[in-house]
Amino acid sequence: MSSNSSFPAFYKREITDSDKNKLIEIFSKIEKDRNASGFLEPVDWESLNLIDYPKVIKHPMDLGTCKGKLLNGEYKLFKDLMHDLNLIWTNCRTYNVPGSEIVNCANACEKKMRQLIEKQFKNVKIMEKLK
């Protein structure tokens, strides 16, 4: 079986209690990563004086919100969680300048998250973008 054939099955798969425990472990590891500090909570655009942020970023997302939704059982399928995780990184790249420190941190966190998920869920390659 090629790795491409695992994409649809993985993304359509329901998140079990066992999966949830593995994912919580992954979130705990990411939260400790120095690159993740800017993604742990919602962007406080008002205190950062980013007045155009709500106009540019229509669907804000952060790791803390994702973890909370996971803990509350709001993600039924992997594709829902993966969509929100992808939103964190794409929002960052949309709002910020390419090559900036925060974009570099987003890229590093995204890569680490992919690696941790692929390691925890064998024979799965995370798609670049979920449509």
Side-chain angles (χ1 to χ4, degrees):
M1 180 181 273
S2 74
S3 62
N4 281 346
S5 63
S6 69
F7 286 171
F10 178 73
Y11 281 85
K12 293 177 184 176
R13 193 172 116 188
E14 285 189 28
I15 297 175
T16 65
D17 287 340
S18 173
D19 295 334
K20 186 188 282 190
N21 291 334
K22 290 176 183 179
L23 289 164
I24 290 167
E25 248 183 73
I26 290 169
F27 273 100
S28 294
K29 289 178 181 176
I30 288 290
E31 290 166 348
K32 294 174 187 166
D33 189 297
R34 63 180 172 81
N35 290 309
S37 63
F39 309 103
L40 298 176
E41 298 176 346
V43 172
D44 187 358
W45 59 271
E46 290 171 312
S47 72
L48 294 170
N49 199 28
L50 306 174
I51 56 173
D52 62 339
Y53 189 83
K55 292 176 184 161
V56 176
I57 303 301
K58 300 297 182 193
H59 303 286
M61 188 52 61
D62 62 277
L63 291 168
T65 300
C66 286
K67 185 176 180 181
K69 289 173 77 171
L70 177 66
L71 291 170
N72 291 331
E74 294 178 49
Y75 296 123
K76 302 299 180 204
L77 303 174
F78 272 91
K79 73 178 181 82
D80 302 323
L81 170 61
M82 300 310 294
H83 174 269
D84 279 357
L85 288 172
N86 190 53
L87 200 51
I88 297 168
W89 322 126
T90 57
N91 283 349
C92 179
R93 288 189 284 264
T94 298
Y95 189 79
N96 297 285
V97 177
S100 63
E101 183 179 352
I102 193 70
V103 169
N104 292 339
C105 288
N107 293 339
C109 283
E110 179 181 33
K111 181 179 179 180
K112 183 170 186 170
M113 181 68 82
R114 286 176 191 274
Q115 290 170 339
L116 290 170
I117 290 171
E118 288 174 358
K119 183 178 178 183
Q120 225 14 295
F121 299 93
K122 307 284 186 234
N123 300 321
V124 169
K125 282 268 187 218
I126 304 301
M127 295 187 319
E128 284 299 313
K129 291 189 179 179
L130 182 62
K131 297 185 183 194

